[in-house]
Amino acid sequence: MKNILITGGMGFIGKFLVRKLLSERDYKLTIVDNLSSSKADEQISANPRVKFVNESFEKWTPPTDAKYHQIYHLTSPVGPLGVLKYKGRIGEMILGQLYHAAEFAMKMDAKLLEISTSEVYGQQPDNEQEGQREDIDKIVPSNLTVRLEYGVAKLLCEIVLKNLSRDNKLDYICIRPFNIVGPQQNGDLGFIIPRFLKQAALGNPLTVYGDGSQKRTFTHVQDFVDAIFLVMESDRTGEIYNVGNPNNVTTVLDLAEKIKAVTKTSSEISFVDPVAMFKDFAEAWNKIPNIEKISAHTGWQPKYSLDFIVKEVAEMGESYLIN
Ligand SMILES: NC(=O)c1ccc[n+]([C@@H]2O[C@H](COP(=O)([O-])OP(=O)(O)OC[C@H]3O[C@@H](n4cnc5c(N)ncnc54)[C@H](O)[C@@H]3O)[C@@H](O)[C@H]2O)c1
């Protein structure tokens, strides 16, 4: 039986991943999570195959006889507002935690999966037809924002893993997610779908940043964990993969209209300057992935449409307001 370590396993993505691992494999799971942006799931922590440690990952060391075969590393500040809280410290936090996980992986010969970000593409020239390919590995910044601090920190993790693997045979994979959404995403971190749904539920204006012409594409969290499970279980190593759903492209304004229609809210749409609302905020560029690489390597294809995602999350009622 394999032992799996999941850092941040009580978070939004972590809980879906844990449920998948428990249902697909007979593995034993250790979750380290300090619940700084989530709540513990009692069903998960009560499972006899799960050991839940409520502690900050950077301070945690495994028992001396522990041996993990796989490490899913998910802890990180996340979300447009979630990262603003940690400005100036994001690099230290993200890199420090990644290095801690990489040390265990090297010591135990475990395969390490790092969740990077689509922010590593920065403001690339628009290429909606092709989408963003993994071989683009340089950030094209317009200015030194907190968003850039987050993107650069995640890119540095990718570089560190590559360089460590050259001398230490580190077995690792990096994933670049594109707007992962689904039930019970924390509504306080600034993610756009829970934010619009919260505003619609409260009858407040749906606040669209700028003119709303910026494009996004949304990926169901179940599709996402299916993808990362496939690459972790494969023989692939040292690879970077985009994980997103290029079929779900929408402008932010069209998304707001869709949410108004689904929720039948009386809320209006209002166009705002996010920087006036949140100091140091920077809005993202168009974000559309090219997923040919992961599809060719694993056969993975996303299944859930944007209409399904919006309806499902809206129908969960106010549970999207909390994690
Ligand atoms: N959701 C997305 O669209 C998205 C997009 C890009 C990248 N990611 C990445 O995916 C990963 C998971 O994101 P998520 O959406 O599930 O976020 P989340 O905030 O729901 O989950 C992160 C979990 O890590 C825990 N955590 C944070 N710092 C910790 C620490 N120092 N020690 C122990 N636990 C800690 C939190 O309590 C939380 O449970 C992150 O690495 C994030 O950067 C997510």
Side-chain angles (χ1 to χ4, degrees), residues 58 73 75-99 114-115 117 119 144-157 279-282:
E58 60 277 22
H73 177 52
T75 63
S76 172
V78 69
L81 300 184
V83 300
L84 281 182
K85 267 200 299 201
Y86 298 107
K87 68 177 172 185
R89 293 176 46 216
I90 299 169
E92 178 228 328
M93 291 170 77
I94 289 182
L95 189 61
Q97 290 168 30
L98 179 271
Y99 194 77
E114 154 72 355
I115 311 276
T117 175
E119 292 296 322
L144 301 179
T145 60
V146 180
R147 185 180 284 275
L148 184 63
E149 185 184 346
Y150 172 76
V152 170
K154 291 276 191 175
L155 181 60
L156 185 55
C157 291
K279 195 167 155 292
D280 298 320
F281 185 93

Side-chain angles (χ1 to χ4, degrees), residues 13 115-122 124 130-134 136 175-181 185 191 215-221 223-224 240-246 248-249 285-291 300 302 309:
I13 292 171
I115 311 276
S116 181
T117 175
S118 53
E119 292 296 322
V120 301
Y121 294 110
Q124 300 291 339
E130 279 274 289
Q132 284 153 334
R133 288 184 181 275
E134 289 87 345
I136 300 173
I175 302 290
R176 295 176 179 171
F178 284 69
N179 287 76
I180 314 306
V181 293
Q185 188 169 30
F191 290 112
K215 290 183 181 147
R216 298 284 182 276
T217 182
F218 294 92
T219 311
H220 195 283
V221 61
D223 276 333
F224 183 75
I240 295 171
Y241 295 105
N242 288 335
V243 179
N245 189 338
N248 283 346
V249 176
W285 202 245
N286 291 350
K287 288 176 147 194
I288 301 168
N290 180 302
I291 56 166
W300 175 81
I309 294 170

Side-chain angles (χ1 to χ4, degrees), residues 22-319:
L22 289 172
S23 69
E24 297 266 344
R25 292 287 190 273
D26 195 19
Y27 295 161
K28 279 192 172 164
L29 313 183
T30 299
I31 297 172
V32 182
D33 195 309
N34 64 5
L35 306 179
S36 53
S37 62
S38 61
K39 284 192 179 144
D41 180 301
E42 283 175 19
Q43 262 190 337
I44 289 177
S45 48
N47 189 300
R49 285 197 282 133
V50 173
K51 184 177 173 211
F52 169 48
V53 184
N54 181 352
E55 202 172 321
S56 290
F57 175 58
E58 60 277 22
K59 296 189 187 137
W60 175 80
T61 46
T64 45
D65 59 346
K67 156 87 184 141
Y68 303 112
H69 300 86
Q70 298 174 349
I71 301 174
Y72 287 90
H73 177 52
L74 272 56
T75 63
S76 172
V78 69
L81 300 184
V83 300
L84 281 182
K85 267 200 299 201
Y86 298 107
K87 68 177 172 185
R89 293 176 46 216
I90 299 169
E92 178 228 328
M93 291 170 77
I94 289 182
L95 189 61
Q97 290 168 30
L98 179 271
Y99 194 77
H100 200 48
E103 279 190 315
F104 297 148
M106 288 186 286
K107 197 168 143 205
M108 298 180 187
D109 279 331
K111 184 168 183 177
L112 173 64
L113 187 137
E114 154 72 355
I115 311 276
S116 181
T117 175
S118 53
E119 292 296 322
V120 301
Y121 294 110
Q123 297 198 353
Q124 300 291 339
D126 226 4
N127 187 351
E128 202 177 323
Q129 242 60 47
E130 279 274 289
Q132 284 153 334
R133 288 184 181 275
E134 289 87 345
D135 55 5
I136 300 173
D137 58 2
K138 58 180 185 301
I139 290 183
V140 184
S142 61
N143 47 26
L144 301 179
T145 60
V146 180
R147 185 180 284 275
L148 184 63
E149 185 184 346
Y150 172 76
V152 170
K154 291 276 191 175
L155 181 60
L156 185 55
C157 291
E158 295 187 8
I159 299 166
V160 164
L161 289 176
K162 181 159 199 148
N163 289 335
L164 284 176
S165 74
R166 289 202 168 109
D167 295 336
N168 300 286
K169 299 194 186 73
L170 173 63
D171 185 6
Y172 78 96
I173 294 286
C174 288
I175 302 290
R176 295 176 179 171
F178 284 69
N179 287 76
I180 314 306
V181 293
Q184 295 195 310
Q185 188 169 30
N186 187 333
D188 296 330
L189 301 176
F191 290 112
I192 190 165
I193 289 186
R195 179 167 68 78
F196 278 165
L197 284 169
K198 187 172 181 175
Q199 289 170 328
L202 298 172
N204 293 335
L206 272 57
T207 46
V208 166
Y209 299 157
D211 66 1
S213 63
Q214 63 276 40
K215 290 183 181 147
R216 298 284 182 276
T217 182
F218 294 92
T219 311
H220 195 283
V221 61
Q222 189 60 54
D223 276 333
F224 183 75
V225 300
D226 289 350
I228 66 175
F229 173 75
L230 279 175
V231 287
M232 182 62 113
E233 294 286 316
S234 77
D235 292 335
R236 300 279 175 181
T237 188
E239 300 282 1
I240 295 171
Y241 295 105
N242 288 335
V243 179
N245 189 338
N247 304 322
N248 283 346
V249 176
T250 176
T251 65
V252 167
L253 180 55
D254 287 346
L255 176 68
E257 297 284 8
K258 192 184 282 291
I259 285 180
K260 263 176 65 95
V262 167
T263 58
K264 301 187 174 62
T265 179
S266 57
S267 298
E268 296 299 321
I269 292 175
S270 81
F271 297 90
V272 298
D273 172 7
V275 182
M277 295 173 72
F278 308 106
K279 195 167 155 292
D280 298 320
F281 185 93
E283 179 63 330
W285 202 245
N286 291 350
K287 288 176 147 194
I288 301 168
N290 180 302
I291 56 166
E292 285 168 12
K293 183 176 173 185
I294 189 166
S295 300
H297 286 191
T298 67
W300 175 81
Q301 284 291 339
K303 299 190 189 80
Y304 294 92
S305 68
L306 181 59
D307 284 345
F308 177 90
I309 294 170
V310 169
K311 213 162 159 279
E312 185 194 30
V313 182
E315 280 172 2
M316 297 289 295
E318 302 212 343
S319 65

